[in-house]
Short mmCIF file of all heavy atoms in Angstrom, two decimals:
data_model
loop_
_atom_site.label_atom_id
_atom_site.label_comp_id
_atom_site.label_asym_id
_atom_site.label_seq_id
_atom_site.Cartn_x
_atom_site.Cartn_y
_atom_site.Cartn_z
N MET A 1 -15.75 -125.81 54.34
CA MET A 1 -16.51 -126.77 55.11
C MET A 1 -16.36 -126.44 56.58
O MET A 1 -15.27 -126.22 57.08
CB MET A 1 -15.97 -128.17 54.82
CG MET A 1 -16.58 -129.23 55.72
SD MET A 1 -16.01 -130.89 55.30
CE MET A 1 -14.95 -131.22 56.68
N GLY A 2 -17.46 -126.44 57.30
CA GLY A 2 -17.43 -126.26 58.74
C GLY A 2 -17.34 -127.60 59.44
O GLY A 2 -17.54 -128.65 58.84
N TYR A 3 -17.02 -127.57 60.71
CA TYR A 3 -16.89 -128.81 61.45
C TYR A 3 -18.02 -129.05 62.44
O TYR A 3 -17.92 -129.92 63.30
CB TYR A 3 -15.54 -128.84 62.18
CG TYR A 3 -14.38 -128.97 61.23
CD1 TYR A 3 -13.59 -127.88 60.92
CD2 TYR A 3 -14.11 -130.18 60.62
CE1 TYR A 3 -12.54 -127.99 60.04
CE2 TYR A 3 -13.07 -130.31 59.73
CZ TYR A 3 -12.28 -129.21 59.44
OH TYR A 3 -11.24 -129.34 58.56
N ALA A 4 -19.13 -128.32 62.32
CA ALA A 4 -20.27 -128.55 63.20
C ALA A 4 -21.00 -129.83 62.81
O ALA A 4 -21.49 -130.56 63.67
CB ALA A 4 -21.24 -127.37 63.16
N TYR A 5 -21.06 -130.12 61.52
CA TYR A 5 -21.75 -131.32 61.05
C TYR A 5 -21.16 -131.74 59.70
O TYR A 5 -21.00 -130.91 58.81
CB TYR A 5 -23.25 -131.08 60.88
CG TYR A 5 -23.95 -132.29 60.30
CD1 TYR A 5 -24.39 -133.32 61.11
CD2 TYR A 5 -24.14 -132.42 58.93
CE1 TYR A 5 -24.99 -134.44 60.58
CE2 TYR A 5 -24.75 -133.54 58.39
CZ TYR A 5 -25.17 -134.55 59.22
OH TYR A 5 -25.75 -135.67 58.69
N TYR A 6 -20.85 -133.01 59.58
CA TYR A 6 -20.44 -133.59 58.31
C TYR A 6 -20.63 -135.10 58.40
O TYR A 6 -20.84 -135.65 59.47
CB TYR A 6 -19.00 -133.22 57.93
CG TYR A 6 -17.96 -133.52 59.00
CD1 TYR A 6 -17.22 -134.69 58.96
CD2 TYR A 6 -17.72 -132.63 60.03
CE1 TYR A 6 -16.27 -134.97 59.93
CE2 TYR A 6 -16.77 -132.88 60.99
CZ TYR A 6 -16.04 -134.06 60.94
OH TYR A 6 -15.11 -134.33 61.90
N GLU A 7 -20.57 -135.76 57.28
CA GLU A 7 -20.68 -137.21 57.24
C GLU A 7 -19.36 -137.79 56.78
O GLU A 7 -18.64 -137.18 55.98
CB GLU A 7 -21.80 -137.64 56.30
CG GLU A 7 -23.18 -137.27 56.80
CD GLU A 7 -24.29 -137.73 55.87
OE1 GLU A 7 -24.02 -138.12 54.72
OE2 GLU A 7 -25.45 -137.69 56.30
N LEU A 8 -19.04 -138.97 57.29
CA LEU A 8 -17.81 -139.65 56.88
C LEU A 8 -18.04 -141.14 56.91
O LEU A 8 -19.06 -141.62 57.43
CB LEU A 8 -16.65 -139.25 57.79
CG LEU A 8 -16.78 -139.53 59.29
CD1 LEU A 8 -16.19 -140.88 59.65
CD2 LEU A 8 -16.07 -138.45 60.06
N VAL A 9 -17.11 -141.88 56.35
CA VAL A 9 -17.19 -143.34 56.35
C VAL A 9 -16.10 -143.86 57.27
O VAL A 9 -14.93 -143.50 57.14
CB VAL A 9 -17.01 -143.91 54.92
CG1 VAL A 9 -17.00 -145.43 54.96
CG2 VAL A 9 -18.12 -143.40 54.01
N ARG A 10 -16.51 -144.68 58.23
CA ARG A 10 -15.58 -145.30 59.17
C ARG A 10 -15.87 -146.78 59.20
O ARG A 10 -17.00 -147.18 59.49
CB ARG A 10 -15.72 -144.68 60.57
CG ARG A 10 -14.71 -145.23 61.56
CD ARG A 10 -14.84 -144.60 62.91
NE ARG A 10 -16.08 -145.06 63.52
CZ ARG A 10 -16.52 -144.66 64.69
NH1 ARG A 10 -15.88 -143.76 65.36
NH2 ARG A 10 -17.64 -145.14 65.17
N ASN A 11 -14.89 -147.59 58.92
CA ASN A 11 -15.05 -149.04 58.89
C ASN A 11 -16.19 -149.46 57.96
O ASN A 11 -16.98 -150.35 58.28
CB ASN A 11 -15.29 -149.60 60.29
CG ASN A 11 -14.13 -149.34 61.21
OD1 ASN A 11 -12.97 -149.37 60.80
ND2 ASN A 11 -14.42 -149.06 62.46
N GLY A 12 -16.31 -148.77 56.84
CA GLY A 12 -17.34 -149.09 55.85
C GLY A 12 -18.73 -148.61 56.19
O GLY A 12 -19.67 -148.85 55.46
N GLU A 13 -18.88 -147.89 57.30
CA GLU A 13 -20.18 -147.40 57.73
C GLU A 13 -20.22 -145.87 57.69
O GLU A 13 -19.30 -145.21 58.16
CB GLU A 13 -20.45 -147.87 59.17
CG GLU A 13 -21.78 -147.45 59.72
CD GLU A 13 -21.96 -147.91 61.17
OE1 GLU A 13 -21.24 -148.80 61.61
OE2 GLU A 13 -22.84 -147.34 61.84
N LYS A 14 -21.28 -145.31 57.14
CA LYS A 14 -21.43 -143.86 57.11
C LYS A 14 -21.91 -143.39 58.48
O LYS A 14 -22.86 -143.94 59.04
CB LYS A 14 -22.46 -143.46 56.05
CG LYS A 14 -22.58 -141.95 55.86
CD LYS A 14 -23.66 -141.59 54.87
CE LYS A 14 -23.11 -141.58 53.48
NZ LYS A 14 -24.08 -141.02 52.51
N ILE A 15 -21.22 -142.39 59.05
CA ILE A 15 -21.62 -141.85 60.35
C ILE A 15 -21.66 -140.32 60.27
O ILE A 15 -21.01 -139.71 59.43
CB ILE A 15 -20.69 -142.29 61.50
CG1 ILE A 15 -19.28 -141.70 61.34
CG2 ILE A 15 -20.64 -143.78 61.64
CD1 ILE A 15 -18.44 -141.82 62.58
N GLU A 16 -22.43 -139.74 61.16
CA GLU A 16 -22.49 -138.29 61.30
C GLU A 16 -21.42 -137.87 62.30
O GLU A 16 -21.22 -138.53 63.32
CB GLU A 16 -23.86 -137.86 61.80
CG GLU A 16 -24.98 -138.20 60.85
CD GLU A 16 -26.34 -137.87 61.43
OE1 GLU A 16 -26.52 -138.00 62.66
OE2 GLU A 16 -27.21 -137.50 60.64
N ALA A 17 -20.74 -136.78 62.01
CA ALA A 17 -19.68 -136.30 62.89
C ALA A 17 -19.73 -134.77 62.95
O ALA A 17 -20.45 -134.13 62.20
CB ALA A 17 -18.32 -136.78 62.40
N GLY A 18 -18.95 -134.22 63.88
CA GLY A 18 -18.87 -132.78 64.06
C GLY A 18 -19.25 -132.40 65.47
O GLY A 18 -19.92 -133.16 66.18
N TYR A 19 -18.81 -131.22 65.90
CA TYR A 19 -19.09 -130.80 67.27
C TYR A 19 -20.56 -130.52 67.52
O TYR A 19 -20.98 -130.41 68.66
CB TYR A 19 -18.21 -129.61 67.69
CG TYR A 19 -18.41 -128.35 66.87
CD1 TYR A 19 -19.45 -127.49 67.14
CD2 TYR A 19 -17.53 -128.04 65.84
CE1 TYR A 19 -19.63 -126.33 66.40
CE2 TYR A 19 -17.68 -126.88 65.10
CZ TYR A 19 -18.74 -126.03 65.38
OH TYR A 19 -18.91 -124.89 64.64
N GLY A 20 -21.37 -130.48 66.48
CA GLY A 20 -22.81 -130.30 66.63
C GLY A 20 -23.57 -131.61 66.73
O GLY A 20 -24.79 -131.62 66.85
N VAL A 21 -22.85 -132.73 66.70
CA VAL A 21 -23.48 -134.06 66.76
C VAL A 21 -23.29 -134.64 68.15
O VAL A 21 -22.17 -134.93 68.57
CB VAL A 21 -22.86 -135.00 65.69
CG1 VAL A 21 -23.48 -136.39 65.79
CG2 VAL A 21 -23.04 -134.43 64.30
N GLU A 22 -24.38 -134.79 68.89
CA GLU A 22 -24.32 -135.37 70.23
C GLU A 22 -24.02 -136.86 70.14
O GLU A 22 -24.50 -137.54 69.23
CB GLU A 22 -25.63 -135.14 70.97
CG GLU A 22 -25.91 -133.68 71.25
CD GLU A 22 -27.22 -133.46 71.99
OE1 GLU A 22 -27.90 -134.45 72.33
OE2 GLU A 22 -27.55 -132.30 72.22
N ALA A 23 -23.24 -137.36 71.10
CA ALA A 23 -22.87 -138.77 71.10
C ALA A 23 -22.55 -139.20 72.53
O ALA A 23 -22.62 -138.40 73.46
CB ALA A 23 -21.65 -138.98 70.20
N VAL A 24 -22.19 -140.46 72.66
CA VAL A 24 -21.75 -141.04 73.93
C VAL A 24 -20.36 -141.63 73.68
O VAL A 24 -20.09 -142.16 72.60
CB VAL A 24 -22.74 -142.13 74.40
CG1 VAL A 24 -22.22 -142.84 75.63
CG2 VAL A 24 -24.10 -141.53 74.67
N CYS A 25 -19.49 -141.55 74.66
CA CYS A 25 -18.15 -142.14 74.56
C CYS A 25 -18.25 -143.57 74.04
O CYS A 25 -19.12 -144.34 74.46
CB CYS A 25 -17.49 -142.11 75.94
SG CYS A 25 -15.85 -142.88 76.00
N GLU A 26 -17.36 -143.93 73.14
CA GLU A 26 -17.40 -145.25 72.52
C GLU A 26 -16.67 -146.33 73.32
O GLU A 26 -16.64 -147.49 72.92
CB GLU A 26 -16.83 -145.17 71.10
CG GLU A 26 -17.73 -144.34 70.20
CD GLU A 26 -17.24 -144.24 68.77
OE1 GLU A 26 -16.41 -145.06 68.33
OE2 GLU A 26 -17.71 -143.32 68.07
N LYS A 27 -16.10 -145.97 74.48
CA LYS A 27 -15.48 -146.97 75.34
C LYS A 27 -16.60 -147.84 75.93
O LYS A 27 -17.58 -147.33 76.49
CB LYS A 27 -14.70 -146.27 76.46
CG LYS A 27 -14.18 -147.20 77.53
CD LYS A 27 -13.03 -148.00 77.05
CE LYS A 27 -12.43 -148.80 78.20
NZ LYS A 27 -11.46 -149.76 77.76
N THR A 28 -16.46 -149.12 75.79
CA THR A 28 -17.47 -150.05 76.30
C THR A 28 -17.77 -149.77 77.77
O THR A 28 -16.86 -149.68 78.59
CB THR A 28 -17.00 -151.51 76.12
OG1 THR A 28 -16.71 -151.73 74.74
CG2 THR A 28 -18.05 -152.49 76.59
N GLY A 29 -19.04 -149.59 78.09
CA GLY A 29 -19.47 -149.36 79.46
C GLY A 29 -19.50 -147.91 79.89
O GLY A 29 -20.05 -147.60 80.94
N CYS A 30 -18.92 -147.01 79.12
CA CYS A 30 -18.92 -145.59 79.48
C CYS A 30 -20.17 -144.93 78.91
O CYS A 30 -20.56 -145.18 77.77
CB CYS A 30 -17.68 -144.89 78.94
SG CYS A 30 -17.55 -143.16 79.45
N THR A 31 -20.79 -144.08 79.70
CA THR A 31 -22.01 -143.39 79.26
C THR A 31 -21.83 -141.87 79.24
O THR A 31 -22.81 -141.13 79.19
CB THR A 31 -23.19 -143.75 80.18
OG1 THR A 31 -22.86 -143.37 81.52
CG2 THR A 31 -23.51 -145.23 80.12
N GLU A 32 -20.57 -141.41 79.26
CA GLU A 32 -20.27 -139.98 79.25
C GLU A 32 -20.76 -139.35 77.95
O GLU A 32 -20.47 -139.84 76.86
CB GLU A 32 -18.77 -139.76 79.39
CG GLU A 32 -18.35 -138.32 79.48
CD GLU A 32 -18.65 -137.71 80.84
OE1 GLU A 32 -18.78 -138.45 81.83
OE2 GLU A 32 -18.76 -136.47 80.89
N LYS A 33 -21.53 -138.26 78.09
CA LYS A 33 -22.02 -137.55 76.91
C LYS A 33 -20.90 -136.68 76.33
O LYS A 33 -20.22 -135.97 77.06
CB LYS A 33 -23.22 -136.68 77.26
CG LYS A 33 -24.43 -137.49 77.62
CD LYS A 33 -25.61 -136.61 77.94
CE LYS A 33 -26.80 -137.47 78.33
NZ LYS A 33 -27.97 -136.66 78.67
N ILE A 34 -20.72 -136.79 75.02
CA ILE A 34 -19.71 -136.02 74.29
C ILE A 34 -20.34 -135.55 72.98
O ILE A 34 -21.54 -135.72 72.76
CB ILE A 34 -18.45 -136.87 74.01
CG1 ILE A 34 -18.80 -138.10 73.15
CG2 ILE A 34 -17.76 -137.29 75.30
CD1 ILE A 34 -17.61 -138.87 72.62
N ASP A 35 -19.52 -134.97 72.13
CA ASP A 35 -19.97 -134.72 70.76
C ASP A 35 -18.97 -135.42 69.84
O ASP A 35 -17.97 -135.96 70.30
CB ASP A 35 -20.08 -133.22 70.46
CG ASP A 35 -18.78 -132.47 70.63
OD1 ASP A 35 -17.76 -132.86 70.00
OD2 ASP A 35 -18.76 -131.48 71.38
N ARG A 36 -19.23 -135.43 68.58
CA ARG A 36 -18.31 -136.07 67.63
C ARG A 36 -17.43 -135.03 66.96
O ARG A 36 -17.16 -135.08 65.77
CB ARG A 36 -19.09 -136.89 66.60
CG ARG A 36 -19.62 -138.18 67.17
CD ARG A 36 -20.03 -139.13 66.09
NE ARG A 36 -20.50 -140.36 66.67
CZ ARG A 36 -21.48 -141.08 66.16
NH1 ARG A 36 -22.08 -140.69 65.06
NH2 ARG A 36 -21.84 -142.20 66.74
N GLY A 37 -16.93 -134.10 67.78
CA GLY A 37 -16.00 -133.09 67.30
C GLY A 37 -14.57 -133.56 67.41
O GLY A 37 -14.26 -134.60 68.00
N LEU A 38 -13.66 -132.77 66.86
CA LEU A 38 -12.25 -133.13 66.84
C LEU A 38 -11.64 -133.28 68.23
O LEU A 38 -10.70 -134.05 68.41
CB LEU A 38 -11.47 -132.08 66.04
CG LEU A 38 -11.86 -131.96 64.56
CD1 LEU A 38 -11.09 -130.82 63.91
CD2 LEU A 38 -11.63 -133.26 63.82
N ALA A 39 -12.18 -132.60 69.24
CA ALA A 39 -11.65 -132.70 70.60
C ALA A 39 -11.80 -134.10 71.19
O ALA A 39 -11.05 -134.48 72.08
CB ALA A 39 -12.33 -131.68 71.50
N TYR A 40 -12.75 -134.86 70.71
CA TYR A 40 -13.02 -136.20 71.24
C TYR A 40 -12.59 -137.31 70.29
O TYR A 40 -12.84 -138.48 70.53
CB TYR A 40 -14.51 -136.35 71.56
CG TYR A 40 -14.97 -135.39 72.62
CD1 TYR A 40 -15.72 -134.27 72.30
CD2 TYR A 40 -14.66 -135.61 73.96
CE1 TYR A 40 -16.15 -133.38 73.27
CE2 TYR A 40 -15.07 -134.72 74.94
CZ TYR A 40 -15.81 -133.62 74.59
OH TYR A 40 -16.22 -132.74 75.57
N LEU A 41 -11.91 -136.96 69.23
CA LEU A 41 -11.50 -137.89 68.18
C LEU A 41 -10.23 -138.64 68.57
O LEU A 41 -9.25 -138.03 69.01
CB LEU A 41 -11.25 -137.11 66.88
CG LEU A 41 -10.68 -137.89 65.71
CD1 LEU A 41 -11.69 -138.91 65.20
CD2 LEU A 41 -10.29 -136.93 64.59
N CYS A 42 -10.22 -139.94 68.38
CA CYS A 42 -9.01 -140.74 68.54
C CYS A 42 -8.22 -140.64 67.24
O CYS A 42 -8.68 -141.08 66.19
CB CYS A 42 -9.34 -142.20 68.83
SG CYS A 42 -7.88 -143.27 68.87
N GLY A 43 -7.06 -140.02 67.32
CA GLY A 43 -6.22 -139.83 66.14
C GLY A 43 -6.27 -138.40 65.66
O GLY A 43 -6.66 -137.49 66.39
N LYS A 44 -5.90 -138.22 64.42
CA LYS A 44 -5.82 -136.88 63.86
C LYS A 44 -6.78 -136.63 62.71
O LYS A 44 -7.02 -135.50 62.34
CB LYS A 44 -4.38 -136.62 63.40
CG LYS A 44 -3.36 -136.76 64.53
CD LYS A 44 -1.99 -136.33 64.10
CE LYS A 44 -0.95 -136.56 65.15
NZ LYS A 44 -1.18 -136.03 66.45
N THR A 45 -7.35 -137.69 62.15
CA THR A 45 -8.21 -137.57 60.98
C THR A 45 -9.55 -138.25 61.23
O THR A 45 -9.58 -139.44 61.57
CB THR A 45 -7.54 -138.21 59.75
OG1 THR A 45 -6.24 -137.63 59.57
CG2 THR A 45 -8.36 -138.00 58.50
N PRO A 46 -10.66 -137.54 61.05
CA PRO A 46 -11.97 -138.20 61.17
C PRO A 46 -12.05 -139.40 60.22
O PRO A 46 -11.59 -139.34 59.08
CB PRO A 46 -12.95 -137.10 60.75
CG PRO A 46 -12.23 -135.83 61.09
CD PRO A 46 -10.79 -136.11 60.77
N GLY A 47 -12.55 -140.49 60.72
CA GLY A 47 -12.63 -141.72 59.93
C GLY A 47 -11.50 -142.68 60.23
O GLY A 47 -11.56 -143.84 59.88
N GLY A 48 -10.45 -142.20 60.88
CA GLY A 48 -9.32 -143.05 61.26
C GLY A 48 -8.13 -142.87 60.34
O GLY A 48 -8.28 -142.51 59.17
N ASP A 49 -6.96 -143.10 60.89
CA ASP A 49 -5.71 -143.03 60.14
C ASP A 49 -4.65 -143.79 60.92
O ASP A 49 -4.96 -144.49 61.87
CB ASP A 49 -5.30 -141.57 59.91
CG ASP A 49 -5.08 -140.79 61.20
OD1 ASP A 49 -4.95 -141.40 62.28
OD2 ASP A 49 -5.02 -139.55 61.13
N LYS A 50 -3.38 -143.65 60.55
CA LYS A 50 -2.32 -144.38 61.24
C LYS A 50 -2.11 -143.91 62.68
O LYS A 50 -1.46 -144.58 63.46
CB LYS A 50 -1.02 -144.29 60.45
CG LYS A 50 -0.43 -142.90 60.38
CD LYS A 50 0.85 -142.89 59.56
CE LYS A 50 1.44 -141.49 59.53
NZ LYS A 50 2.70 -141.47 58.81
N HIS A 51 -2.67 -142.76 63.05
CA HIS A 51 -2.52 -142.22 64.40
C HIS A 51 -3.64 -142.64 65.35
O HIS A 51 -3.52 -142.48 66.56
CB HIS A 51 -2.45 -140.70 64.37
CG HIS A 51 -1.32 -140.19 63.55
ND1 HIS A 51 0.00 -140.26 63.95
CD2 HIS A 51 -1.29 -139.62 62.32
CE1 HIS A 51 0.77 -139.76 63.03
NE2 HIS A 51 0.02 -139.36 62.03
N GLY A 52 -4.76 -143.12 64.82
CA GLY A 52 -5.88 -143.51 65.67
C GLY A 52 -7.00 -144.15 64.89
O GLY A 52 -7.06 -144.07 63.67
N CYS A 53 -7.92 -144.74 65.63
CA CYS A 53 -9.02 -145.51 65.01
C CYS A 53 -10.15 -144.64 64.47
O CYS A 53 -11.00 -145.12 63.73
CB CYS A 53 -9.57 -146.51 66.02
SG CYS A 53 -10.33 -145.74 67.48
N GLY A 54 -10.19 -143.37 64.86
CA GLY A 54 -11.26 -142.50 64.39
C GLY A 54 -12.51 -142.57 65.24
O GLY A 54 -13.53 -141.99 64.91
N GLY A 55 -12.43 -143.28 66.39
CA GLY A 55 -13.55 -143.33 67.31
C GLY A 55 -13.63 -142.05 68.13
O GLY A 55 -12.73 -141.21 68.08
N TYR A 56 -14.70 -141.90 68.88
CA TYR A 56 -14.92 -140.70 69.69
C TYR A 56 -15.04 -141.12 71.15
O TYR A 56 -15.86 -141.96 71.50
CB TYR A 56 -16.17 -139.96 69.22
CG TYR A 56 -15.97 -139.41 67.82
CD1 TYR A 56 -16.30 -140.17 66.71
CD2 TYR A 56 -15.41 -138.16 67.62
CE1 TYR A 56 -16.09 -139.69 65.42
CE2 TYR A 56 -15.20 -137.66 66.35
CZ TYR A 56 -15.53 -138.44 65.26
OH TYR A 56 -15.30 -137.95 64.00
N PHE A 57 -14.18 -140.52 72.00
CA PHE A 57 -14.07 -140.92 73.38
C PHE A 57 -14.05 -139.70 74.31
O PHE A 57 -13.58 -138.63 73.92
CB PHE A 57 -12.77 -141.72 73.60
CG PHE A 57 -12.71 -142.98 72.78
CD1 PHE A 57 -12.22 -142.96 71.48
CD2 PHE A 57 -13.17 -144.17 73.30
CE1 PHE A 57 -12.17 -144.12 70.71
CE2 PHE A 57 -13.14 -145.33 72.54
CZ PHE A 57 -12.64 -145.31 71.24
N CYS A 58 -14.54 -139.89 75.53
CA CYS A 58 -14.52 -138.81 76.52
C CYS A 58 -13.08 -138.57 76.97
O CYS A 58 -12.17 -139.35 76.65
CB CYS A 58 -15.41 -139.15 77.71
SG CYS A 58 -14.81 -140.50 78.75
N GLU A 59 -12.87 -137.50 77.72
CA GLU A 59 -11.52 -137.14 78.16
C GLU A 59 -10.87 -138.22 79.02
O GLU A 59 -9.65 -138.36 78.99
CB GLU A 59 -11.57 -135.82 78.93
CG GLU A 59 -11.94 -134.65 78.05
CD GLU A 59 -12.07 -133.34 78.83
OE1 GLU A 59 -11.91 -133.35 80.07
OE2 GLU A 59 -12.35 -132.33 78.17
N ARG A 60 -11.66 -138.99 79.76
CA ARG A 60 -11.09 -140.06 80.60
C ARG A 60 -10.54 -141.20 79.77
O ARG A 60 -9.70 -141.96 80.25
CB ARG A 60 -12.14 -140.61 81.56
CG ARG A 60 -12.43 -139.72 82.73
CD ARG A 60 -13.40 -140.36 83.68
NE ARG A 60 -14.67 -140.56 82.98
CZ ARG A 60 -15.56 -141.50 83.24
NH1 ARG A 60 -15.35 -142.35 84.20
NH2 ARG A 60 -16.67 -141.58 82.56
N HIS A 61 -11.01 -141.35 78.53
CA HIS A 61 -10.61 -142.48 77.71
C HIS A 61 -9.76 -142.10 76.50
O HIS A 61 -9.59 -142.90 75.59
CB HIS A 61 -11.85 -143.28 77.29
CG HIS A 61 -12.53 -143.88 78.47
ND1 HIS A 61 -13.79 -143.48 78.89
CD2 HIS A 61 -12.11 -144.81 79.36
CE1 HIS A 61 -14.11 -144.16 79.98
NE2 HIS A 61 -13.11 -144.97 80.29
N LEU A 62 -9.24 -140.88 76.49
CA LEU A 62 -8.25 -140.46 75.49
C LEU A 62 -6.93 -140.24 76.20
O LEU A 62 -6.88 -139.63 77.26
CB LEU A 62 -8.68 -139.16 74.80
CG LEU A 62 -9.75 -139.29 73.73
CD1 LEU A 62 -10.14 -137.91 73.21
CD2 LEU A 62 -9.30 -140.18 72.57
N TYR A 63 -5.86 -140.74 75.64
CA TYR A 63 -4.55 -140.68 76.28
C TYR A 63 -3.53 -140.06 75.33
O TYR A 63 -3.74 -139.99 74.12
CB TYR A 63 -4.09 -142.10 76.66
CG TYR A 63 -5.11 -142.84 77.46
CD1 TYR A 63 -5.99 -143.72 76.83
CD2 TYR A 63 -5.21 -142.65 78.82
CE1 TYR A 63 -6.95 -144.40 77.58
CE2 TYR A 63 -6.17 -143.33 79.57
CZ TYR A 63 -7.03 -144.21 78.94
OH TYR A 63 -7.96 -144.88 79.66
N GLY A 64 -2.39 -139.68 75.91
CA GLY A 64 -1.23 -139.22 75.13
C GLY A 64 -1.57 -138.29 73.99
O GLY A 64 -2.03 -137.18 74.20
N ASP A 65 -1.36 -138.77 72.80
CA ASP A 65 -1.54 -137.97 71.59
C ASP A 65 -2.97 -138.09 71.07
O ASP A 65 -3.19 -138.37 69.89
CB ASP A 65 -0.53 -138.42 70.53
CG ASP A 65 -0.40 -137.45 69.38
OD1 ASP A 65 -0.79 -136.28 69.55
OD2 ASP A 65 0.08 -137.87 68.32
N ASN A 66 -3.94 -137.90 71.98
CA ASN A 66 -5.37 -138.00 71.64
C ASN A 66 -5.70 -139.36 71.03
O ASN A 66 -6.27 -139.46 69.95
CB ASN A 66 -5.81 -136.87 70.71
CG ASN A 66 -6.95 -136.08 71.30
OD1 ASN A 66 -6.97 -135.84 72.50
ND2 ASN A 66 -7.90 -135.71 70.49
N GLN A 67 -5.35 -140.41 71.77
CA GLN A 67 -5.63 -141.77 71.32
C GLN A 67 -6.40 -142.54 72.38
O GLN A 67 -6.18 -142.34 73.57
CB GLN A 67 -4.32 -142.52 71.03
CG GLN A 67 -3.54 -141.92 69.89
CD GLN A 67 -2.20 -142.58 69.73
OE1 GLN A 67 -1.48 -142.76 70.70
NE2 GLN A 67 -1.87 -142.95 68.51
N CYS A 68 -7.26 -143.45 71.94
CA CYS A 68 -7.96 -144.33 72.87
C CYS A 68 -6.94 -145.31 73.44
O CYS A 68 -5.80 -145.39 72.96
CB CYS A 68 -9.10 -145.07 72.16
SG CYS A 68 -8.58 -146.30 70.94
N GLY A 69 -7.32 -146.07 74.43
CA GLY A 69 -6.40 -147.00 75.06
C GLY A 69 -5.79 -148.02 74.10
O GLY A 69 -4.59 -148.27 74.14
N THR A 70 -6.60 -148.56 73.22
CA THR A 70 -6.10 -149.55 72.27
C THR A 70 -5.06 -148.95 71.34
O THR A 70 -4.00 -149.53 71.11
CB THR A 70 -7.27 -150.13 71.44
OG1 THR A 70 -8.23 -150.71 72.34
CG2 THR A 70 -6.80 -151.17 70.45
N CYS A 71 -5.34 -147.78 70.80
CA CYS A 71 -4.40 -147.13 69.86
C CYS A 71 -3.15 -146.65 70.58
O CYS A 71 -2.05 -146.72 70.03
CB CYS A 71 -5.09 -145.99 69.13
SG CYS A 71 -6.37 -146.56 67.98
N ALA A 72 -3.29 -146.17 71.83
CA ALA A 72 -2.13 -145.74 72.61
C ALA A 72 -1.20 -146.91 72.88
O ALA A 72 0.03 -146.79 72.79
CB ALA A 72 -2.58 -145.08 73.91
N GLU A 73 -1.76 -148.08 73.21
CA GLU A 73 -0.94 -149.28 73.46
C GLU A 73 -0.22 -149.70 72.18
O GLU A 73 0.94 -150.08 72.23
CB GLU A 73 -1.82 -150.43 73.96
CG GLU A 73 -2.26 -150.28 75.37
CD GLU A 73 -3.15 -151.43 75.82
OE1 GLU A 73 -3.19 -152.48 75.12
OE2 GLU A 73 -3.81 -151.28 76.86
N ARG A 74 -0.90 -149.65 71.07
CA ARG A 74 -0.31 -150.03 69.78
C ARG A 74 0.85 -149.09 69.40
O ARG A 74 1.83 -149.53 68.81
CB ARG A 74 -1.39 -149.99 68.70
CG ARG A 74 -1.10 -150.83 67.52
CD ARG A 74 -2.25 -150.89 66.57
NE ARG A 74 -3.50 -150.56 67.24
CZ ARG A 74 -4.67 -150.44 66.67
NH1 ARG A 74 -4.79 -150.61 65.40
NH2 ARG A 74 -5.74 -150.13 67.35
N ALA A 75 0.74 -147.82 69.75
CA ALA A 75 1.75 -146.83 69.39
C ALA A 75 3.00 -146.93 70.29
O ALA A 75 4.06 -146.44 69.91
CB ALA A 75 1.17 -145.42 69.47
N ALA A 76 2.83 -147.51 71.47
CA ALA A 76 3.95 -147.57 72.44
C ALA A 76 5.05 -148.51 72.01
O ALA A 76 5.01 -149.31 71.21
CB ALA A 76 3.43 -148.00 73.79
#
């Protein structure tokens, strides 16, 4: 399986993911263009896991161990 495009289920919703999928940062109010590749993933597993929510965020909104602000606070 390649990581340019794939589908996954996150919070009960099917979404398109992969570095070939254009997107916008999921931080409320941010309009930074990103893709849904692993570099912008909150956590370690697409779809979410104990390390992150599985959302996709720009570099300004990913912290520490590639986590969004909410997940980084929860891990602290």
